[in-house]
Amino acid sequence: MSDFDIVVRNGRVATASDEFDADVGIRDGLIAMLGRGLPKGKVDLDARGKLVLPGGVDSHCHIEQKSSTGLMTADDFHSATVSAAFGGTTTVIPFAAQHRGDSLRKVVQDYHACAGPKAVIDYAFHLIVSDPSAEVLDKELPALIAEGYTSFKIYMTYDKLKLEDGQILDVLSTAREHGALVMVHAENNDVIKWLAKRLVDGGLTRPFHHSLAHARIAESEATGRAIALATLLDVPILIVHVSSTDAAATIREARGKGLRIYGETCPQYLFLTAADLDRDGVQGAKYCCSPPPRDAASQESMWLGLTNGTFQVFSSDHAPYRFDSSGKLPKGEATTFKEIANGVPGIELRQALLFSEGVRKGRLSLTEFVALTSTNHAKMYGLHPRKGTIAVGSDADIAIWDPEREVTIAAANLHDNVGYTPYEGRRLVGWPETVVNRGRIVVSEGQLRVQAGSGEFLPCATPASAAPLGRSTPEIERMQKDLAAKGATST
Ligand code: URP
Ligand code: ZN
Ligand code: ZN
């Protein structure tokens, strides 16, 4: 008997760079050895004919999060992490969300109190900064960044969350100084409000009208503006949940100039369109998220962006609300598009959808799939090489996939607490069957094998992705020079 706790035997291993046949020896929660013919472990998992992939990292999901209007997500840290695990994900990075007037420190404590006893897989936190007061910028953020909260999301829309451009510059400046990555929800708030008012005044209040209010130009304008603000201060940013051709092109253009601008897209922008919001009655509310799904041409742009370097990460943006008065439909059938809770579920299906429609249909290689669903997330947010790869010394986070297994999606078979899925009835090929996190078998034979609270918190390092280029704009350079001459400091 060897001293491996687990050996994953005879599988086809894939990382973000390579595919090879190997056994994986696991000891003390870590990957201890890769090779052929490893000695028997205390547990042997036969992966013949299967794929052995790094556990997924979902770096954009909303869990047990109260929205700015006070609505709680349908999933808590137990149901969301169980659902993630059944979908082959072993690390999630949800948000500790500040609302105006909140102390960020207190917010982080509150989210830990929720996650600690419930999570079944590992987790880190991004922060949401909606109130960048002097206390937050000068004291709370620097201290929290040093403790491992090295990324934060800011909003350019939603009245109760949005930052003005000057506030965005303040946050970017703090991120630059202390080494954090800023994620941007890029939509122009005034454009959306202007359109929404005219739609509502004209009696156009169905879920579909959400897709008209959240016009593509609102997204592409804000994307360009966020990039301009980031460029002014030489700060990397990541544009989250990109939906449209123009926004993707704006990111691509910035990247073509060598700027550290990153992009994320999500299943809803590959597999849904605005026509889904136009379903009978208020059914379209199930598909309402911001930005909204667009059209077939936009879907093609998102697929292209996954392979041409526009997008580094493919995340779920799991924002779970039940299809009833506790969630999506506060006023039942009379709910207007302005009142529908924004967001769609996807934490369990994110990887299987991309595997089936991407890898199986030849749009993505297996290594690209691993990069987009796992490795790049870990790198982007300072968790690599502990997470996101299969390498000696990394955490033993592994999903064993049956690439031939056929699955028809049904909400009844999912493990979240949402009660519906936007992907009901779709037929997929390929499914993660056994899921290991830090050497613990979390899911096997369709059963959850671990206790609530067995997931661990992961402090994030300052990621390389957040490093400035060192290319200041002439105005900033001159301003700094002149301020320095006067003995003052800035940015
Ligand atoms: O509609 C969405 N995406 N809701 C979740 C919150 C957010 O902005 O990511
Ligand atoms: Zn957002
Ligand atoms: Zn989100």
Side-chain angles (χ1 to χ4, degrees), residues 60 62 65 95 153 155 158 161 185 187 210 240-241 268-269 288-291 317-319 321 341-344:
H60 186 158
H62 303 269
Q65 185 183 319
F95 297 89
K153 182 174 175 189
Y155 287 80
Y158 298 128
L161 293 172
H185 179 133
E187 288 187 289
H210 171 83
V240 293
H241 48 48
Q268 45 274 34
Y269 307 118
C288 258
C289 55
S290 297
D317 192 6
H318 182 72
Y321 298 102
N342 273 214
V344 294

Side-chain angles (χ1 to χ4, degrees), residues 145-178:
I145 292 167
E147 289 168 34
Y149 307 88
T150 59
S151 47
F152 25 92
K153 182 174 175 189
I154 58 172
Y155 287 80
M156 298 173 83
T157 188
Y158 298 128
D159 282 342
K160 294 189 173 152
L161 293 172
K162 83 173 277 269
L163 304 188
E164 302 298 334
D165 289 357
Q167 293 176 304
I168 294 175
L169 289 170
D170 284 339
V171 172
L172 292 174
S173 175
T174 299
R176 188 181 200 281
E177 189 179 345
H178 297 279

